[in-house]
Amino acid sequence: MLLCLSTGAYIVLYSLQILGTNMRAGGSMPVEEGPTRQERYKCGLSKPCPEGHFSFKMASGAASVVGPKICLEDNILMSGVKNNVGRGINIALVNGKTGDLIKTDYFDMWAGDVNTLITFLKTIEEGTVVMMATFDDSASKLNDESKKMIGELGSSSISTLGFRDNWIFVGGKGIKTKSPFEQHIKNNVDTNKYEGWPEVLEMEGCIPQRQE
C-alpha cells in the first residue's frame, strides 16, 4: 500500500527516523542546560572575602532553646550540633595568623562563677582572634573587671550588656581600636521577638589576617 504524506509530515517522519537511528547507535537526545548554579562561599557568606582575610558567620542563641553558632573559614567552631555551647557567653579563640582553632568554652553568667571567665580571658595570647556569642542570660554575673577585659578586646557594647540581651562580637587580643564586628540587642518586653528574649542576631564578614 502506498502511503501519501504531505511535505511537512514527511520531514517530521524523516527526522524521527534519524533520531531513532542515533539513539540505537548510542546517541542521546539533546538536553537544554539549566540556569547556572549560584556559587557558594565559605560559611555561606553572601560574597567572598578578599585574599588575606578569614571568612566568618555567626549567630547568637535563640531564647533558651537553640544555642549559638560560630563558623570560620567553612569550619563550624561552635554549635548545638557539636554539643560545645551552653548558657552564658560562648567563646572561640582562633590563631590570628593561621585561622586555626585554639580552643572553645562557655561561661554560665546566671549560675556560674565570673572568676572562671576572668581566668580564661587572662590566658588569651597577643594576636588571638576572639569570637563571642550569647545564649540565654550572659550578663547577670559579669562584673567591672570582666567587662573591662572584654572591652580591651575591642568591644563597645559589653559595658551595657544586660540580662538576656543578645550579643555577638569578634575582637582580638592587642587590638588598638574598637572592633567593627559587633551587634547587640536589648531584652525589652515591648520589642522582644520571643517571650522574655529578643530576636536572634546574625553577623558575617571578613577578618583581616594577622601579618606580623
Side-chain angles (χ1 to χ4, degrees), residues 2 6 28 33 52 56 60 65 80 84 89 99 105-106 109 115 126 130 138 173 184-185 192 202-204:
L2 180 64
S6 67
S28 59
E33 293 185 4
F56 83 91
S60 67
V65 181
N84 64 347
I89 299 180
D105 210 337
Y106 58 89
M109 292 293 98
N115 289 309
E126 192 85 5
V130 184
S138 59
K173 182 72 170 184
H184 177 208
I185 184 170
N192 284 346
E202 294 184 328
M203 178 171 63
E204 65 177 52

Side-chain angles (χ1 to χ4, degrees), residues 12-212:
V12 172
L13 179 61
Y14 180 74
S15 298
L16 288 173
Q17 288 175 335
I18 295 297
L19 179 61
T21 301
N22 287 340
M23 294 186 71
R24 286 194 296 271
S28 59
M29 295 182 66
V31 178
E32 291 186 7
E33 293 185 4
T36 304
R37 171 182 267 179
Q38 186 174 5
E39 188 172 354
R40 182 191 178 279
Y41 303 116
K42 293 178 180 178
C43 290
L45 266 64
S46 55
K47 58 183 179 180
C49 288
E51 187 176 350
H53 290 71
F54 300 126
S55 303
F56 83 91
K57 190 171 186 177
M58 60 195 304
S60 67
S64 60
V65 181
V66 180
K69 185 176 181 179
I70 299 176
C71 176
L72 182 83
E73 286 293 286
D74 237 11
N75 296 314
I76 304 300
L77 307 184
M78 302 187 76
S79 72
V81 173
K82 291 181 72 70
N83 197 31
N84 64 347
V85 297
R87 180 173 65 183
I89 299 180
N90 294 259
I91 306 177
L93 302 183
V94 175
N95 186 303
K97 291 182 179 180
T98 65
D100 294 334
L101 177 65
I102 298 172
K103 68 169 71 172
T104 65
D105 210 337
Y106 58 89
F107 302 89
D108 187 347
M109 292 293 98
W110 169 253
D113 183 356
V114 70
N115 289 309
T116 59
L117 171 61
I118 291 172
T119 298
F120 179 88
L121 294 174
K122 287 179 178 179
T123 67
I124 301 175
E125 297 181 358
E126 192 85 5
T128 300
V129 174
V130 184
M131 310 179 77
M132 299 186 176
T134 58
F135 183 25
D136 195 358
D137 177 40
S138 59
S140 291
K141 291 292 183 71
L142 286 177
N143 59 15
D144 290 342
E145 183 180 4
S146 58
K147 289 180 179 180
K148 180 176 182 294
M149 295 178 73
I150 295 173
E152 290 172 349
L153 298 173
S155 172
S156 300
S157 300
I158 189 63
S159 60
T160 58
L161 190 67
F163 174 68
R164 286 184 178 176
D165 288 1
N166 271 344
W167 172 66
I168 47 181
F169 163 70
V170 179
K173 182 72 170 184
I175 190 171
K176 304 303 182 185
T177 60
K178 291 301 181 182
S179 171
F181 303 121
E182 185 171 29
Q183 291 188 22
H184 177 208
I185 184 170
K186 299 294 291 181
N187 169 25
N188 186 317
V189 65
D190 296 324
T191 58
N192 284 346
K193 183 173 183 178
Y194 311 104
E195 186 177 353
W197 289 271
E199 64 182 301
V200 172
L201 291 177
E202 294 184 328
M203 178 171 63
E204 65 177 52
C206 305
I207 304 169
Q209 184 177 2
R210 188 178 176 89
Q211 301 300 324
E212 68 277 4

